[in-house]
């Protein structure tokens, strides 16, 4: 249903907006996120496209890229307010309808995180500093050369069953990126 919506919206865009976006160029981004029970994250990151790889799928262009980030997670736990620094590396895929000409896109990825200490919130505690992160997002590219983008993402972080407990955390993320 999401893909159908994105495709319909892409084909209804004005012809002047039907330019190929800058998805083949690196970007820097800022991202804010929130999870249940007073947990928040602020992130700075970069994306590095896979220059030699792209494919077509259902009339859309699919490209891959590396997403590298540094985050500060904040949460309220039994021991008070706590900060955790998180480094993340995620290979990701971007699907851009209309053979890559749409301003709308879907994004997905599975990667790994390492945190400076275990994440502890009010009602949960991670058992490991190493975790996996998966995300699914929808975004919109804009600007004269579509160098700006906004993206709404859902991210799940957990250790994938390496060690118990494995409560995981779900973040809603809002990202602004600038391609250069």
């Amino acid at each position: 249903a999401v893909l159908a919506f994105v495709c319909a919206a892409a084909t209804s865009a004005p012809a002047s907006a039907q330019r190929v976006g800058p998805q083949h160029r690196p970007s820097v981004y800022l991202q804010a996120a929130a999870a249940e029970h007073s947990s928040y994250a602020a992130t700075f990151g970069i994306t590095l496209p896979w220059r030699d790889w792209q494919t077509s799928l259902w009339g859309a262009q699919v490209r891959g890229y590396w997403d590298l980030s540094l985050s500060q997670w904040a949460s309220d736990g039994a021991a008070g307010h706590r900060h955790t620094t998180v480094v993340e590396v995620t290979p990701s895929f971007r699907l851009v309808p209309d053979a890559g000409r749409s301003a709308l896109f879907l994004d997905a990825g599975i990667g790994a995180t390492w945190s400076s200490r275990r994440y502890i919130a009010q009602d949960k505690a991670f058992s490991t500093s190493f975790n996996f992160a998966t995300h699914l997002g929808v975004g919109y590219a804009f600007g004269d050369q579509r160098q700006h983008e906004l993206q709404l993402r859902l991210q799940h972080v957990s250790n994938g069953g390496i060690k118990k407990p494995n409560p995981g955390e779900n973040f809603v993320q809002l990202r602004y990126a600038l391609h250069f």
Side-chain angles (χ1 to χ4, degrees), residues 13-180:
S16 63
Q18 298 293 325
R19 289 179 249 156
V20 175
Q23 290 87 4
H24 62 283
R25 296 191 321 235
S27 74
V28 295
Y29 66 85
L30 295 174
Q31 179 174 280
E36 290 183 305
H37 309 295
S38 300
S39 291
Y40 303 94
T43 302
F44 171 78
I46 62 171
T47 64
L48 302 171
W50 305 343
R51 293 191 185 272
D52 297 331
W53 187 87
Q54 75 176 19
T55 191
S56 294
L57 180 67
W58 303 316
Q61 180 187 73
V62 180
R63 288 184 170 265
Y65 66 92
W66 289 104
D67 189 333
L68 311 168
S69 67
L70 180 64
S71 299
Q72 186 73 88
W73 292 10
S75 60
D76 291 326
H81 198 66
R82 190 174 158 104
H83 290 272
T84 305
T85 302
V86 179
V87 175
E88 182 176 343
V89 176
T90 303
S92 299
F93 295 94
R94 174 163 295 176
L95 183 139
V96 184
D98 195 21
R101 292 183 293 270
S102 175
L104 298 172
F105 60 86
L106 293 175
D107 216 70
I110 300 174
T113 71
W114 179 83
S115 56
S116 60
R117 58 179 164 173
R118 290 182 312 111
Y119 171 72
I120 298 174
Q122 287 177 350
D123 63 342
K124 63 179 74 178
F126 282 16
S127 58
T128 58
S129 290
F130 173 80
N131 290 283
F132 299 100
T134 59
H135 77 268
L136 182 61
V138 60
Y140 180 74
F142 59 98
D144 289 343
Q145 298 175 354
R146 293 205 180 139
Q147 70 273 27
H148 305 280
E149 68 183 43
L150 287 175
Q151 188 176 163
L152 182 63
R153 299 160 47 109
L154 299 174
Q155 182 185 50
H156 175 75
V157 181
S158 73
N159 71 25
I162 293 173
K163 185 177 178 183
K164 293 191 186 245
N166 182 29
E169 187 65 275
N170 297 311
F171 287 95
V172 175
Q173 303 169 322
L174 181 60
R175 175 182 288 193
Y176 165 77
L178 174 63
H179 290 269
F180 54 94

